[in-house]
Amino acid sequence: MARTALVPEVFAATGADPDLVAPSVDGVSFRNTGRCVLMVVNGSAAAVNVTPRIGRQVKGQSVTSPPIAQPAGATRFYGPFDADYEQPGGKDAMFVDLSAVADVQVALLEMP
């Protein structure tokens, strides 16, 4: 199964009402503009790990991406992300993994 490709919703002075979607078991992907914020709503009864994948290498070695524990029932925002998170191959691709997706929803928000 492929990652869920997210399209950003731009914040406006009148507010934001994000469209939440269920992520794939493979995680989510989006174009990293440096102004994106990932909203994760954990509606499950257990914590989930959110892991923004670091795409850069240091001296030819991959860097370990540390997971961030998000408590059960919590809504959190992650980002903005710098260029270190962009995946090899160009196009500013960003990947985020989730340790569980049952009762989890996501949205991508972008500052104008």
Side-chain angles (χ1 to χ4, degrees), residues 32-110:
N32 183 19
T33 63
R35 299 183 318 273
C36 291
V37 174
L38 179 66
M39 177 183 184
V40 179
V41 179
N42 180 7
S44 72
V48 297
N49 286 331
V50 178
T51 308
R53 306 302 302 177
I54 296 171
R56 298 277 171 125
Q57 292 187 339
V58 176
K59 296 190 180 210
Q61 301 298 311
S62 295
V63 178
T64 300
S65 302
I68 304 162
Q70 180 169 326
T75 298
R76 295 281 156 78
F77 297 85
Y78 302 91
F81 304 98
D82 61 29
D84 288 341
Y85 290 94
E86 294 167 8
Q87 300 302 302
K91 302 200 181 8
D92 304 326
M94 169 91 193
F95 296 161
V96 178
D97 297 340
L98 300 151
S99 63
V101 295
D103 298 318
V104 174
Q105 294 183 304
V106 297
L108 185 64
L109 305 169
E110 184 175 36

Side-chain angles (χ1 to χ4, degrees), residues 9-17 110-112:
E9 300 175 50
V10 179
F11 278 108
T14 55
D17 185 17
E110 184 175 36
M111 301 301 289

